[in-house]
DNA sequence: TATGAGATCAACT
DNA sequence: GTTGATCTCATAC
């Protein structure tokens, strides 16, 4: 097994469309619990679907900060969703984590989620945060140290792209990236 | 398999 | 007052 490489902040200091596919297959642990990233979506400040579209607010302030930090927001008033901020400071782009293949800390994830089926633990942005225990208080934390632990994938993987999920604006842009054939996606790719 | 409602809150009109 | 980067459960086909 090759020694995994811990992702430095510089990894995120690139175009969001370069970072997003490179995250597929990477491993994400949060307080020692997590798995392999199998699905993400890219958002950019010129993108009408992005929270940063239209300028900084209290909620999206982290997106306008430096890359390599976590932007966490509440979705539909109920769920937490986590993003990785990308590109040079100020461009307000981010990658939304949508699904993981669970590998580590399965008992903790099953307990938090209240389900036993591995495929239901992290197959969606809200589920993923619940399984890992990520909440709003973790917004703004750096991604290159605890409680986060991100490692680059060891080899190239087949990546598929498609339109993003659950949005109404710019819904046709193919800015969703996934691991081809994964059983752990929030939804299959067409 | 597919569609619909409810939960619950911050941003925005 | 309305909308949304969601999820779960219920009911219908």
């Amino acid at each position: 097994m090759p020694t995994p490489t811990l992702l430095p902040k510089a990894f995120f200091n690139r175009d969001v469309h370069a970072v997003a596919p490179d995250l597929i297959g990477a491993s994400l642990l949060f307080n020692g619990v997590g798995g392999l990233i199998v699905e993400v979506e890219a958002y950019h400040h010129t993108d009408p679907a992005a929270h940063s579209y239209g300028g900084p607010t209290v909620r999206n302030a982290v997106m306008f900060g430096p890359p390599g930090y976590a932007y966490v927001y509440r979705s539909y008033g109920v769920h937490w969703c986590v993003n990785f901020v990308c590109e040079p400071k100020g461009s307000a782009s981010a990658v939304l984590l949508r699904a993981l293949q669970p590998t580590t800390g399965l008992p903790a994830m099953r307990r938090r989620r209240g389900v036993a089926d591995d495929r239901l633990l992290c197959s969606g942005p809200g589920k993923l945060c619940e399984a890992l225990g990520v909440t709003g208080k973790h917004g703004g934390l750096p991604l290159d140290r605890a409680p986060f632990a991100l490692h680059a994938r060891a080899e190239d993987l087949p990546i598929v792209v498609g339109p993003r999920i659950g949005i109404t604006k710019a819904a046709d842009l193919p800015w969703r990236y996934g691991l081809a054939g994964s059983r752990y996606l929030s939804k299959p790719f067409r």
Side-chain angles (χ1 to χ4, degrees), chain A residues 19-56:
Chain A
V19 174
D22 279 356
L23 281 172
I24 301 300
S27 85
L28 165 67
L29 297 185
F30 186 78
N31 285 322
V33 173
L36 303 180
I37 298 171
V38 297
E39 182 183 343
V40 301
E41 284 177 0
Y43 289 87
H44 192 272
H45 73 302
T46 61
D47 164 16
H51 288 170
S52 55
Y53 186 73

Side-chain angles (χ1 to χ4, degrees), chain A residues 89-141:
Chain A
K89 173 175 165 58
S91 70
S93 62
V95 177
L96 169 70
L97 267 58
R98 288 195 54 91
L100 300 184
Q101 173 181 335
T103 62
T104 308
L106 277 290
M109 287 193 269
R110 293 193 187 106
R111 185 178 65 249
R112 291 190 187 118
R113 291 274 300 116
V115 297
D117 186 341
D118 294 355
R119 296 172 65 168
L120 300 179
L121 291 179
C122 302
S123 54
K127 299 177 189 177
L128 185 160
C129 282
E130 186 175 34
L132 270 57
V134 175
T135 70
K137 70 183 179 187
H138 304 116
L141 292 180

Side-chain angles (χ1 to χ4, degrees), chain A residues 21 23-25 37-40 101 153 156-162 176-185 187-190:
Chain A
L23 281 172
I24 301 300
I37 298 171
V38 297
E39 182 183 343
V40 301
Q101 173 181 335
R153 63 164 175 261
D156 282 342
L157 295 170
I159 292 172
V160 287
V161 301
R176 176 179 179 232
Y177 301 84
L179 175 60
S182 172
R183 303 166 53 239
Y184 299 94
L185 300 172
K187 278 183 152 175
F189 283 78
R190 288 241 116 183

